Structures are given as C-alpha cells and as structure tokens.
C-alpha cells in the first residue's frame, strides 16, 4: 500500500467516522497507520492528530512524527497522549517547554527523565541550535524548581555526574529540602567544589545531606574535619567506610578515642589506610576481639605496628585466662526482635494504605533510618526481620539484590542498598542492566532467598 493510498483510505474513514460530543472523531483503523520503519508525512500526521484517542497515543509515541504535530499533541486533553510526548526523544524543545507546566506530575517526571538523559549524550548538544539549547536550559531550570519532589529528583539523578551543567542549578539542587533530590548531587556532582561543600555543611543542612557528602569519591581533609566537627554520627560512619576520605592525624585520634562510645565505628577504623602511619596501638586497645583479629590480618602494617598489636593481644589473652571465657551475645536475641516491633507495626500500617513504596524506603536509606528500612524491607518482601538482618550482614551483593527483588522494588534501589546499607564495595556490587532490569535470573534470585529463609 502506497502512502497516497493510505492517505486516501484515512480520509475516507475520517469522513465516515462518528464524532463524539467534543467534536473528536472516534474510530480510525490503527492498521492504516504507517509502520514505525516508514516515514509519516505532515499531512498524514495532521489527520491522525484529530483521530480517536487510541490513535493519538500511538502517534505521540512515534519518532517520525513532524515536530509541529508533537507540539500540538503536547497540549492534548488526554493525559496518556501528553505522557507519550513527554517521553518522545523526537519532541521539539518547545513541546518540552510547554510540558514543564503540565498539570500532571507524572507527565512532568517523565519529561524530566527524558531531558536529563539527553544531557548525558554529547551528540544531543551538538545537534541543537543555539536557540534550541537555550530553551533546553530553560526546561531544566523549570523542572529543577518543580513543586513535586519526584520531578526535581529525576533531574538531580540525571545530572548528578555531569561536569558541564550550570553551577547555580547544581547548587540549588544540592540545597534542596528533600533528601531524594539533594543526595545524588551531594554525593556525585563534580561541579561542587570544596568551598561549596563547606558552605553546605555549615548551613545546618537537611538530614542525610552530610552522609551523602561523606560518600563522595574523594573527600578533602578540610571537608572531613567539618563533618567530624558537626557531630553527625551517621555521617561520620559513612566517612570512616570511605577509604578516599582524607583523615588528618588529629582527626583520626579523636575518632579512635570516641569509638569506645561508638562501637559501630570500630570496624571501618580497622581498615583505615592512615593506620599505617599512626593510631594502631590505641585502636587495638579498644577493639573487640573479632575486630582485633581483622587488624592482625592487614598485610600493609609496618613491623613495629604489628609488634604493638601483638602485645595487646597477649595482654588480652592473659586477662581472659584469669577471668574465664564468656559467650558472644546473640545478635538475633528476643531483645533484638522486640526492638523492631514498633517499626514493623509502622511499616505494615504504611503498606496497608499504599505508602510503603520505593520513595519512602529511599528516604529511610538516605537518612540512615536503618530500623525503618529493615522493617520496610521485611514487610514488603514477606521475610522476617531476622532473615533481613542476616542478608544485610552477609555483605553479599547477590543476596541483598534478591531481598530487594522480593520486596518488589527496582534493581537501581537494590544497588543503592548493597552499597549504602550492606557496605558492599562498589567494585563487588551488582548494578542493574542498562535497561534498568535485574542482572540476575529469577531462578537465582529465588535460590538466594531460600538460602536464608526460615524453615
């Protein structure tokens, strides 16, 4: 069938098609729409844009539709038509600009995902005229100020690692009052300099902001000192786990001393690279037995440091012989179960009203509300708190991925949980596939869960 005959057939159908009370034509045979491999003329697209909503939705998603028609469809009364235009990579920049004011937040979030993705593609910039680029920057600016946090978060996620974005826009996102917006920028953006980070630390930022800064690929000593001075214990924990966070001698000494009261700091302190130069003996005197063994296993410590550790070990063994041994406490005791009861009750209440979702759990993860996150994962996955805690403690990327999968959450979130909660090293983690799907087959995901399941 030639394009001319298609157009004739379409016009014949449109002449005969019934018209609803809004004056919209009702039924056009979808089979008459040219295939995605073919080209759609302006005249064909114009005719189809006045057709039934099903046709308009198909039309809005096509990449070969003329720009003028996509701009027209960006103002369509049907939400799904506008959603399709928002996600269409061929939509003109003026259509994108129009959609920044759309009444539906999901449409604006879809637009934000698309525009942010375009920023990561160098050829996208090169193909745009100066005027089109100016409009795209206006689109980014408007979306970064959107009243809905999920829209702003989509922009932040897309721009977080790019080096050529307007610094004013990045700094505004970094200071956003919602952690799901601010955290990606604070953790990854190369545009934020040392002074930017210090200003944010000193401005009493939102909960979770200092933790995000602590996880950056490189943290300067002055920024490290400012985080330690803030007294944010959760951020300091992330800092200690970050081998690229620079700790000066006086800062390390202070943290070792405080680790007697903060035992959760002792494990990351054992692996700090600065111990090669100082602080080994003082830390060895404080450490629990199993962590002292970890310290002894380090191959990079000088002979004198190993001798100092050995003297501490011998003294401790002598004391144990005098006092008699004691059993290690049970991590999953009744006391631990009781601690989670109120969090499980809260998670179930949220689940029943449909509010225990990935956004809620992401906020718990980014603000280090671990008890809330564990309870949420338990409720969503149908696993017990004991199983969830054992999986997290295993530091197994595959087991953690299976847990998050069972909870019905995304592979991207599973990757975040591996690194931020499970402390899985980035080079050992299991990221999602490029299309966002899980990198493990379902049969293995189920097998991983069965390994930990209660029988």
């Amino acid at each position: 069938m030639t394009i001319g005959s298609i157009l004739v057939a379409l016009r014949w159908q449109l002449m005969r098609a019934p018209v609803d009370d809004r004056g919209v034509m009702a039924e056009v045979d979808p089979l008459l729409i040219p295939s995605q491999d073919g080209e759609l003329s302006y005249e064909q697209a114009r005719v189809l844009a006045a057709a039934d909503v099903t046709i308009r939705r198909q039309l809005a998603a096509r990449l070969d539709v003329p720009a003028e028609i996509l701009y027209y469809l960006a103002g369509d009364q049907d939400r799904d038509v506008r959603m399709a235009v928002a996600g269409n990579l061929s939509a003109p920049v003026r259509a994108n600009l129009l959609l920044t004011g759309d009444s539906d937040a999901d449409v604006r979030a879809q637009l934000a995902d698309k525009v942010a993705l375009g920023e990561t593609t160098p050829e996208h910039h090169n193909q745009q005229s100066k005027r089109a680029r100016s409009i795209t920057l206006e689109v980014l600016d408007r979306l970064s100020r959107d009243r809905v946090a999920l829209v702003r978060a989509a922009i932040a996620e897309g721009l977080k690692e790019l080096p050529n974005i307007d610094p004013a826009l990045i700094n505004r996102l970094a200071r956003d009052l919602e952690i799901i917006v601010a955290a990606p920028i604070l953790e990854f953006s190369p545009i934020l300099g040392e002074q930017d980070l210090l200003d944010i630390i000193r401005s009493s930022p939102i909960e979770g902001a200092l933790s995000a800064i602590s996880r950056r690929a490189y943290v300067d000593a002055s920024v490290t000192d400012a985080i330690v001075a803030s007294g944010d214990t959760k951020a300091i924990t992330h800092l200690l786990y970050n081998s690229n966070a620079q700790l000066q001698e006086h800062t390390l000494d202070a943290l070792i001393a405080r680790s007697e009261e903060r035992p959760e700091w002792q494990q990351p302190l054992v692996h700090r690279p600065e111990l090669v130069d100082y602080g080994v003996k003082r830390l060895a005197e404080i450490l629990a037995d199993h962590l002292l063994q970890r310290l002894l296993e380090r191959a990079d410590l000088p002979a004198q440091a190993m001798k100092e550790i050995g003297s501490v070990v011998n003294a401790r063994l002598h004391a144990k012989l005098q006092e008699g041994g004691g059993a290690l406490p049970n991590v999953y005791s009744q006391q631990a179960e009781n601690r989670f009861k109120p969090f499980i009750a809260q998670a179930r209440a949220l689940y029943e009203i449909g509010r225990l979702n990935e956004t809620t759990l992401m906020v718990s993860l980014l603000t280090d509300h671990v008890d809330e996150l564990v309870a949420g994962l338990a409720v969503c996955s149908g696993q017990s708190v004991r199983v969830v805690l054992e999986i997290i403690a295993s530091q197994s990327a595959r087991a953690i991925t299976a847990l998050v999968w069972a909870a019905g959450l995304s592979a991207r979130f599973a990757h975040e949980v591996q690194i931020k909660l499970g402390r899985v090293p980035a080079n050992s983690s299991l990221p999602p596939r490029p299309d966002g799907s899980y990198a493990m087959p379902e049969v293995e995901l189920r097998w991983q869960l069965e390994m930990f399941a209660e029988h």
Side-chain angles (χ1 to χ4, degrees):
M1 183 179 286
T2 65
I3 289 180
S5 61
I6 291 173
L7 191 54
V8 169
L10 281 170
R11 284 173 174 162
W12 176 248
Q13 282 206 44
L14 290 169
M15 289 172 62
R16 299 171 59 202
V19 177
D20 64 18
D21 55 6
R22 297 173 301 157
V24 176
M25 298 174 202
E27 297 181 358
V28 177
D29 186 354
L31 295 176
L32 291 176
I33 303 176
S35 67
Q36 190 73 23
D37 296 330
E39 292 187 3
L40 195 66
S41 71
Y42 175 82
E43 182 63 20
Q44 285 176 295
R46 187 184 66 78
V47 172
L48 291 171
D52 171 74
V53 66
T54 303
I55 303 298
R56 301 202 308 277
R57 289 171 185 169
Q58 294 180 39
L59 187 67
R62 292 182 57 132
L63 299 178
D64 60 347
V65 176
E68 297 91 332
I69 301 300
L70 288 174
Y71 177 78
Y72 171 75
L73 291 173
D76 197 282
Q77 292 183 354
D78 183 75
R79 176 253 196 196
D80 289 341
V81 173
R82 303 195 309 278
M83 179 74 81
V85 177
N88 192 326
L89 296 175
S90 294
V93 292
R94 290 191 177 278
N96 294 339
L97 188 64
L98 177 63
L99 289 169
T100 61
D102 196 278
S103 60
D104 192 295
D106 289 338
V107 171
R108 301 197 306 276
Q110 174 84 317
L111 175 67
D113 284 336
K114 179 188 72 175
V115 175
L117 176 65
E119 291 302 300
T120 66
T121 311
E123 54 266 27
H124 175 77
H125 294 177
N126 299 334
Q127 291 172 359
Q128 285 189 323
S129 66
K130 186 175 181 180
R131 177 59 179 158
R133 184 62 188 155
S134 176
I135 294 174
T136 297
L137 293 176
E138 175 65 20
V139 169
L140 285 170
D141 185 75
R142 290 188 186 184
L143 292 172
S144 71
R145 300 175 188 270
D146 196 279
R147 64 183 180 276
V148 176
L150 286 177
V151 177
R152 304 195 305 277
I155 290 295
E157 185 65 28
L159 304 185
K160 65 183 182 182
E161 296 182 271
L162 302 184
N164 55 351
I165 303 298
D166 178 14
L169 187 152
I170 292 296
N171 271 275
R172 183 170 64 253
L173 290 171
R175 290 168 170 78
D176 197 281
L177 297 180
E178 297 288 346
I179 191 62
I180 59 171
V181 180
I185 301 297
L186 292 171
E187 183 173 347
F188 295 104
S189 179
I191 293 175
L192 295 177
E194 178 185 344
Q195 193 56 52
D196 294 319
L197 297 172
L198 289 172
D199 289 344
I200 291 169
I201 293 168
R202 293 163 183 161
S203 68
S204 301
I206 57 173
E207 185 178 19
L210 298 190
S211 292
I213 294 173
S214 296
R215 294 190 294 265
R216 288 177 69 87
Y218 177 83
V219 186
D220 186 85
S222 61
V223 175
T224 297
D225 284 350
I227 291 173
V228 172
S230 75
D232 187 327
T233 57
K234 294 173 181 176
I236 294 170
T237 303
H238 286 284
L239 203 63
L240 290 173
Y241 274 103
N242 185 351
S243 61
N244 291 320
Q246 306 303 300
L247 289 176
Q248 299 186 73
E249 182 174 358
H250 68 274
T251 306
L252 182 64
D253 286 342
L255 292 175
I256 289 173
R258 289 175 62 188
S259 71
E260 288 191 81
E261 301 172 357
R262 310 294 311 188
E264 69 271 21
W265 291 355
Q266 292 181 12
Q267 180 169 330
L269 277 168
V270 165
H271 301 286
R272 290 301 310 178
E274 296 88 355
L275 289 177
V276 172
D277 300 315
Y278 43 77
V280 171
K281 185 176 181 181
R282 178 68 191 278
L283 179 60
E285 292 170 344
I286 295 170
L287 289 176
D289 289 350
H290 70 289
L291 292 177
L292 188 57
Q293 180 61 36
R294 296 269 184 91
L295 191 60
L296 278 169
E297 292 170 356
R298 285 189 55 167
D300 60 335
L301 296 178
Q304 181 59 33
M306 295 300 293
K307 185 177 179 181
E308 291 175 349
I309 298 170
S311 66
V312 172
V313 170
N314 290 332
R316 193 172 294 186
L317 286 173
H318 179 74
K320 282 186 178 291
L321 289 173
Q322 297 296 319
E323 299 170 4
L328 290 172
N330 183 3
V331 177
Y332 309 113
S333 63
Q334 186 61 45
Q335 182 181 3
E337 292 290 335
N338 290 338
R339 184 182 115 203
F340 278 96
K341 282 184 178 178
F343 297 103
I344 288 290
Q346 179 185 3
R348 283 179 178 151
L350 290 173
Y351 186 82
E352 288 171 3
I353 60 175
R355 290 181 55 194
L356 188 62
N357 52 35
E358 186 164 316
T359 300
T360 303
L361 294 176
M362 179 66 87
V363 170
S364 296
L365 177 63
L366 294 175
T367 54
D368 295 303
H369 289 179
V370 175
D371 290 347
E372 291 179 6
L373 179 58
V374 168
L377 289 172
V379 169
C380 289
S381 66
Q383 303 293 329
S384 68
V385 168
R386 183 192 67 77
V387 169
V388 173
L389 290 174
E390 284 189 348
I391 288 175
I392 298 301
S394 73
Q395 293 188 299
S396 165
R398 306 186 92 78
I400 294 171
T401 296
L403 172 66
V404 178
W405 169 80
L409 304 166
S410 72
R412 173 180 166 266
F413 184 67
H415 193 226
E416 296 283 341
V417 173
Q418 290 170 50
I419 294 172
K420 293 181 172 63
L421 182 63
R423 306 293 182 188
V424 177
N427 59 1
S428 301
S429 64
L430 190 66
R433 290 193 179 104
D435 64 358
S437 62
Y438 279 89
M440 293 168 60
E442 184 173 334
V443 64
E444 185 181 355
L445 290 165
R446 294 187 184 280
W447 180 77
Q448 288 286 341
L449 286 174
E450 288 173 2
M451 286 179 58
F452 290 88
E454 295 178 327
H455 299 290

